[in-house]
Amino acid sequence: MRKLLAATTFMGAMFASSAVWAACTTDVKKDDLTAEQATGLYECIKEKLQAGYAASGDARTTEYKSWKPAATAPAAPGTHGKRFLYTFANDVAFEEYTKYSDERGPMPVGSVLAKESFNVNKKGAVKHGPLFFMTKVAAGGEAKDFGDWVYAAYSPKGKPMKISQKFCHGCHGAYDDQDSMGYPDEDVRLKTN
Ligand code: HEC
């Protein structure tokens, strides 16, 4: 009995500390969310989402936050497990990436794209998703079989995920004319040019 009480108190404390998080819900179906509504949900979870990634202790899971977003809003689900996706580009990548060109040469070496993700479940609650990275490395080197891109992902708790380069590139490699870049949905692309 005492054990049970302790457990209940513990759970109570956990929920109290996640009060903000609990409020990040919607009664609009995932597929019907507007860009504004998706952004609202994102703003609600942002701090916790980013703190979770940063718990990895790896510099890049903090650094990407200072890069420019490469979209106007988290893009509607489609790929990446039908999650909402929000991409950031480092200084090396930003100008080239945001041309969203479908007849590009290679992205500059040193380009890094980071992509936050979240999901909305059937009950309308927002779930944190992984943080994805693509890093452009020198041609013909370690990633020569994967378009010279190195793929990485961190769980919402900041754990480096065991991912297969072949799996990620199996899909990205199909974007042949875009140097393996998938690009955000057209509705949320920046109007740079
Ligand atoms: C089923 C196909 C598919 C798979 C598998 C996939 N991706 Fe993607 N990825 C995409 C598409 C499509 C986009 C662009 C969509 C968007 O940003 O809204 C994208 C975007 C990205 C971006 C932003 C740069 C870009 O391409 O525009 C990163 C970073 C990324 N993915 C990393 C990964 C990693 C890491 C893996 C493996 C764990 C992976 N992806 C697996 C389809 C895929």
Side-chain angles (χ1 to χ4, degrees):
M1 183 64 194
R2 185 168 290 166
K3 238 188 202 158
L4 187 68
L5 194 68
T8 317
T9 312
F10 174 69
M11 293 298 282
M14 262 188 34
F15 283 120
S17 69
S18 61
V20 178
W21 157 239
C24 303
T25 59
T26 175
D27 47 21
V28 180
K29 276 216 196 104
K30 177 160 100 174
D31 293 345
D32 298 335
L33 286 166
T34 63
E36 286 74 24
Q37 288 166 333
T39 303
L41 290 174
Y42 174 71
E43 289 301 331
C44 183
I45 62 162
K46 183 175 161 184
E47 210 173 303
K48 282 212 160 190
L49 182 72
Q50 296 185 340
Y53 298 147
S56 76
D58 294 357
R60 63 177 164 181
T61 60
T62 305
E63 267 164 26
Y64 82 90
K65 287 184 282 181
S66 66
W67 304 346
K68 290 192 204 125
T72 54
T79 50
H80 278 246
K82 297 199 191 291
R83 295 182 180 99
F84 286 88
L85 305 165
Y86 199 34
T87 299
F88 298 75
N90 75 349
D91 278 352
V92 180
F94 186 80
E95 205 186 316
E96 266 309 307
Y97 183 80
T98 53
K99 288 176 185 165
Y100 311 111
S101 171
D102 58 7
E103 44 191 44
R104 67 161 55 269
M107 290 282 292
V109 171
S111 292
V112 188
L113 288 312
K115 182 185 286 292
E116 299 176 338
S117 73
F118 62 90
N119 209 341
V120 178
N121 71 11
K122 285 209 176 102
K123 288 181 180 158
V126 185
K127 298 285 174 193
H128 295 190
L131 174 66
F132 301 94
F133 282 101
M134 287 175 71
T135 304
K136 188 75 179 180
V137 295
E142 55 178 309
K144 64 177 179 342
D145 296 337
F146 309 111
D148 304 310
W149 287 104
V150 174
Y151 296 83
Y154 292 84
S155 80
K157 288 182 175 165
K159 264 193 145 188
M161 292 167 72
K162 289 198 177 69
I163 54 145
S164 145
Q165 302 295 310
K166 205 171 158 189
F167 167 74
C168 303
H169 195 66
C171 196
H172 277 264
Y175 299 92
D176 222 4
D177 303 335
Q178 304 178 175
D179 192 22
S180 304
M181 300 279 82
Y183 301 138
D185 190 80
E186 289 192 11
D187 293 348
V188 296
R189 289 185 188 178
L190 304 176
K191 309 275 180 288
T192 47
N193 300 305

